[in-house]
Amino acid sequence: MEPAQTMVKITFVQDDGTRQEVDAQPGLTVMEAAKTEDVPGIEAECGGACACATCHVYVEPEWREAVGPPSEMEEDMLDFAFDVREESRLSCQIRISEALDGLVVKVPSKQF
Amino acid sequence: MSDTSPLQAADDETGAPIETDALIIGAGPCGLFAVFELGLLDIRAHVVDILDKVGGQCAELYPEKPIYDIPALPVVTGQELTDRLMEQIKPFGATFHLGQQIDALSREADGRFRLSTDRGQVFITKVVVIAAGGGSFTPKRPPLEGIEAYEGTSVFYSVRRMKDFADQDVLIVGGGDSALDWTLNLQPIARSLTLLHRRDDFRGAPHSVEKMRALVASGAMRLLIGQATVLHGADGRLERVTVKTKDGEEPVVSTRMLPFFGLTMKLGPIADWGLNLEENLIPVDTEKFQTSVPGIFAIGDINSYPGKLKLILSGFHEAALMSQAAHRIVHPDKKLLFQYTTSSSSLQKKLGVR
């Protein structure tokens, strides 16, 4: 048997304030963790190719430094998201590590 | 379009209905491979796609991204896969009708199908193959309240006639080539022009960015860094748009708005063709990949059946079985002999290798 991998907690906060905490495996992306647990509002139309901007999330202020800024390619793709803010990221481009245990991200009211 | 493309462009200006054996809706990998499988069985095909290029999602969403699960190709990009398929189907001379969407489908008295595109091209075909993937690519509509009411009168997602923008207060939103090109093209004829982008960094061609910045510097147009938040107007006539910038909110007088936020996939008119649908997918059987209407097949990501996997390789398999069933409709009197391309003289002749 494989050694049990330490799971990381990630909380998704919907526009109406609903919180959903999921156990995520390090190495996956935040988008994959959301899709695995059926988190509403993360569409990921392109399946994680950084090609559609429908997995847009807002990173809570205290987590922005740990998560880091978007790459140039991701910035370009964020042009296709709506209501983009400084804390905007595409969740398919956030790789989960143990350093992100407890991460809180907000799901926008609408992906488009 | 790549250099290797044997694309045979259609002359759709004649307006005459095109009669064919098969009409394939969608020029993604499954639609392209369907040309091959149908072609081996002497079924001629025309292909329609709403994009102005072939390849579907492979070309539009991830042309540069690697795909690792195509049999015998350990790694291939979306564009390479498209180019290779175009090379493979070259012998069958399918005609492509790009930049068009099939709007309507009906049945003729003789059992064939009549389909028409949004540009007025009509097809009469014995079988229809829906290989439309995630649906048709359509411009993204910004989620601004009430925007639908202005579409087609004040808000446009493409420019069909430049004169619709003459002497108007034009607001263009976006930072790619479409936004920049139309900024440069419409600025000379507009009453005023404002380009709005969320950041002071553009994806478009550098020389377009330079030209735009020169126009801004000379006072011929405005560049605003921010996002549109509220539309104001009445009866489909836009008057102004509230723009949120880092300095606060500002009303921008706008009688025309052109949002360029890329494309998204929508099922579109397929929903109105009387086919059974389940959650925007088309249920098919797994012998023929036929829909609830005999003669209309669905392959690739758009279909559903127990165990369905949305993989390109599944779509290829579906194209092969669909073609067998299509043969019985297109050539009812011909016996279908199962043959291998490796050894069959007749198949090799069709492929032009013999």
Side-chain angles (χ1 to χ4, degrees):
Chain A
M1 238 178 85
E2 286 180 39
Q5 207 169 1
T6 318
M7 296 296 260
V8 163
K9 300 258 187 236
I10 298 178
T11 302
F12 295 88
V13 184
Q14 297 292 328
D15 197 45
D16 65 3
T18 316
R19 298 171 76 89
Q20 185 176 354
E21 190 184 75
V22 309
D23 285 322
Q25 202 181 338
L28 297 184
T29 65
V30 171
M31 179 279 281
E32 289 169 324
K35 294 300 275 183
T36 308
E37 299 293 332
D38 293 320
V39 174
I42 304 288
E43 290 176 17
E45 207 170 70
C46 78
C50 194
C52 76
T54 60
C55 65
H56 178 201
V57 294
Y58 303 119
V59 176
E60 286 288 87
E62 63 272 27
W63 284 100
R64 283 188 57 196
E65 200 183 323
V67 169
S71 68
E72 198 179 319
M73 176 179 69
E74 186 182 339
E75 276 285 5
D76 282 354
M77 205 43 64
L78 277 167
D79 285 351
F80 298 124
F82 198 74
D83 195 7
V84 178
R85 306 173 193 164
E86 276 191 33
E87 61 271 27
S88 287
R89 288 291 312 265
L90 295 180
S91 58
C92 74
Q93 301 299 304
I94 307 175
R95 185 73 58 188
I96 299 167
S97 68
E98 281 166 29
L100 295 186
D101 192 15
L103 173 67
V104 182
V105 297
K106 275 188 160 160
V107 180
S109 59
K110 204 169 169 182
Q111 305 279 0
F112 92 117
Chain B
M1 195 54 55
S2 69
D3 299 336
T4 57
S5 162
L7 201 67
Q8 196 179 329
D11 175 19
D12 288 347
E13 271 72 60
T14 61
I18 294 171
E19 294 193 29
T20 180
D21 294 333
L23 184 73
I24 300 171
I25 303 170
C30 297
L32 295 180
F33 195 63
V35 169
F36 183 86
E37 289 293 330
L38 291 167
L40 285 180
L41 306 184
D42 298 314
I43 300 171
R44 292 168 306 132
H46 282 251
V47 186
V48 176
D49 199 290
I50 192 164
L51 294 178
D52 59 3
K53 56 184 175 240
V54 297
Q57 291 182 48
C58 287
E60 178 62 31
L61 288 183
Y62 48 90
E64 307 302 332
K65 304 251 159 66
I67 308 170
Y68 298 103
D69 61 352
I70 304 298
L73 294 176
V75 55
V76 64
T77 66
Q79 190 56 52
E80 279 167 1
L81 182 72
T82 303
D83 292 345
R84 283 168 178 248
L85 282 163
M86 289 303 283
E87 185 66 27
Q88 192 168 24
I89 68 176
K90 204 172 180 175
F92 302 108
T95 309
F96 288 84
H97 307 264
L98 300 175
Q100 299 189 57
Q101 182 174 39
I102 298 289
D103 270 349
L105 179 152
S106 60
R107 200 120 202 197
E108 296 283 276
D110 64 5
R112 291 186 297 171
F113 299 94
R114 180 187 189 88
L115 298 96
S116 52
T117 72
D118 55 355
R119 287 223 232 129
Q121 178 60 54
V122 173
F123 298 92
I124 311 282
T125 182
K126 293 174 186 166
V127 297
V128 177
V129 180
I130 303 175
S136 47
F137 279 98
T138 45
K140 278 190 180 179
R141 164 192 285 163
L144 291 166
E145 205 178 314
I147 192 167
E148 296 89 339
Y150 299 106
E151 288 172 354
T153 47
S154 292
V155 174
F156 297 87
Y157 298 99
S158 61
V159 177
R160 287 250 154 140
R161 286 188 309 261
M162 280 184 47
K163 68 176 170 57
D164 292 344
F165 297 81
D167 303 319
Q168 300 287 335
D169 296 302
V170 180
L171 174 65
I172 296 180
V173 192
D177 281 316
S178 302
L180 287 163
D181 289 351
W182 285 116
T183 294
L184 301 177
N185 283 322
L186 296 177
Q187 185 277 327
I189 61 168
R191 181 164 51 214
S192 72
L193 191 136
T194 305
L195 175 63
L196 172 63
H197 186 41
R198 71 171 184 95
R199 56 185 176 132
D200 199 6
D201 220 337
F202 291 82
R203 303 185 309 283
H207 71 271
S208 306
V209 178
E210 272 170 41
K211 279 190 195 164
M212 179 273 293
R213 291 203 190 276
L215 286 171
V216 174
S218 72
M221 61 165 281
R222 279 185 88 195
L223 169 63
L224 279 178
I225 305 304
Q227 296 178 73
T229 54
V230 188
L231 306 181
H232 308 269
D235 305 323
R237 300 242 291 264
L238 188 64
E239 287 158 18
R240 59 184 201 284
V241 175
T242 303
V243 170
K244 199 167 87 184
T245 67
K246 66 173 176 23
D247 304 321
E249 293 196 334
E250 178 182 336
V252 176
V253 173
S254 316
T255 56
R256 291 284 183 275
M257 182 180 179
L258 279 165
F260 292 111
F261 284 96
L263 302 173
T264 185
M265 290 173 284
K266 291 249 161 38
L267 186 60
I270 292 174
D272 307 324
W273 297 348
L275 302 171
N276 285 348
L277 295 175
E278 277 171 17
E279 291 177 14
N280 280 345
L281 296 171
I282 306 174
V284 291
D285 65 77
T286 51
E287 179 197 344
K288 302 170 178 159
F289 297 93
Q290 191 162 249
T291 68
S292 57
V293 177
I296 303 183
F297 300 87
I299 60 170
D301 284 0
I302 197 133
N303 73 14
S304 87
Y305 53 83
K308 168 73 181 184
L309 287 179
K310 286 191 184 186
L311 293 177
I312 292 170
L313 69 92
S314 309
F316 289 168
H317 160 80
E318 293 160 17
L321 292 194
M322 171 279 295
S323 299
Q324 299 283 314
H327 185 271
R328 292 193 275 277
I329 298 172
V330 175
H331 301 302
D333 304 326
K334 277 196 213 162
K335 188 166 177 255
L336 184 54
L337 187 66
F338 178 69
Q339 301 177 95
Y340 293 105
T341 53
T342 316
S343 49
S344 156
S345 326
S346 97
L347 292 185
Q348 290 178 359
K349 210 166 176 178
K350 291 173 200 174
L351 289 166
V353 293
R354 198 180 171 88

